[in-house]
Amino acid sequence: MSLPHAILTALLERPSSGLELTRRFDKSIGYFWSATHQQIYRELGKLESEGYIRALPAAQPARGQKKSYEVLPAGRDELARWTAVSQEPKPLRDTMLLRLRASAVVGTAGIEADLRRHLALHQRQLAEYEEIQERDFPPGRNAPEDRLRHLVLRAGIDLETFWTRWLSHALEEFEHVEETPAQSGGSPGPAPDGPDGDRPSSG
């Protein structure tokens, strides 16, 4: 359900055409909620049929002119309802963590190089977020809406900071991983139950 609400948010910030929305998703909302051009156009049609948005009348109708959309009162009400409703946090599901767990039993070939590639990607994303922060949120920009938007950006910065630190630590650990049981032909011991290698306590 979140894509239509992301579109409602973007249209309340500024009425836009489908193409403009796609570009804005690429530059802002897409950092934390991505969508393809086709998905955005499909959702625009649904939102219009549900009475949440409407196409703005063109000043000078012309063939092939892109329609711009604005949010109707019902759309604002729906976005406010969705914003206020309680939602549960989603558990972490990351393929790299699963691959590391698997490498303990089948061997580590190839994964160290991919850890380095992931580290470079996260470092680049972190640098991009920090550049946006410096450009768009200078000291003294403290309007309530700016503070909330900056809070969203801070989440991205903190997340990328976590991953760059964790991946750096993981690569340091690989300096001590000389041979896994799978590579040496041995049989690994029973895997602990907890996600971090510790069996969960019973109380």
Side-chain angles (χ1 to χ4, degrees):
M1 279 295 291
S2 292
L3 177 56
H5 296 101
I7 292 174
L8 287 172
T9 299
L11 290 178
L12 277 170
E13 291 175 342
R14 184 170 73 248
S16 304
S17 67
L19 180 58
E20 289 168 340
L21 275 176
T22 300
R23 291 170 178 165
R24 291 174 63 194
F25 265 69
D26 288 343
K27 294 178 179 178
S28 57
I29 292 177
Y31 283 121
F32 56 90
W33 198 270
S34 61
T36 66
H37 184 81
Q38 291 79 9
Q39 288 172 324
I40 289 173
Y41 269 88
R42 185 163 57 246
E43 289 299 335
L44 284 172
K46 291 179 182 178
L47 289 168
E48 188 174 21
S49 66
E50 291 168 356
Y52 290 153
I53 66 173
R54 69 163 186 165
L56 288 169
Q60 294 180 339
R63 183 169 181 166
Q65 187 176 22
K66 299 179 181 65
K67 291 193 295 185
S68 288
Y69 296 89
E70 69 173 359
V71 178
L72 295 169
R76 179 182 283 273
D77 291 343
E78 168 57 22
L79 186 60
R81 180 206 64 78
W82 177 78
T83 302
V85 73
S86 177
Q87 297 185 17
E88 295 300 317
K90 292 186 176 181
L92 175 64
R93 295 179 63 184
D94 189 271
T95 306
M96 178 58 77
L97 300 181
L98 181 58
R99 290 170 62 204
L100 279 173
R101 182 81 177 217
S103 71
V105 292
V106 300
T108 57
I111 197 167
E112 182 177 359
D114 211 31
L115 283 169
R116 295 188 186 281
R117 184 178 69 86
H118 279 228
L119 176 58
L121 291 171
H122 284 289
Q123 287 172 329
R124 186 158 61 244
Q125 188 65 76
L126 176 59
E128 185 174 346
Y129 284 159
E130 289 175 337
E131 182 181 340
I132 293 171
Q133 177 175 245
E134 183 176 353
R135 182 192 69 210
D136 293 346
F137 299 98
R141 187 169 181 178
N142 293 318
E145 60 272 21
D146 290 326
R147 294 176 74 93
L148 291 175
R149 289 172 184 142
H150 192 190
L151 189 62
V152 175
L153 178 61
R154 280 297 324 176
I157 290 173
D158 290 347
L159 184 60
E160 295 302 329
T161 299
F162 161 76
W163 280 117
T164 54
R165 290 176 177 172
W166 181 84
L167 286 161
S168 297
H169 175 70
L171 288 165
E172 290 173 4
E173 288 297 313
F174 264 73
E175 296 176 6
H176 306 288
V177 179
E178 297 179 358
E179 194 174 67
T180 65
Q183 290 168 329
S184 62
S187 176
D193 295 329
D196 58 356
D198 295 325
R199 292 186 183 279
S201 63
S202 58

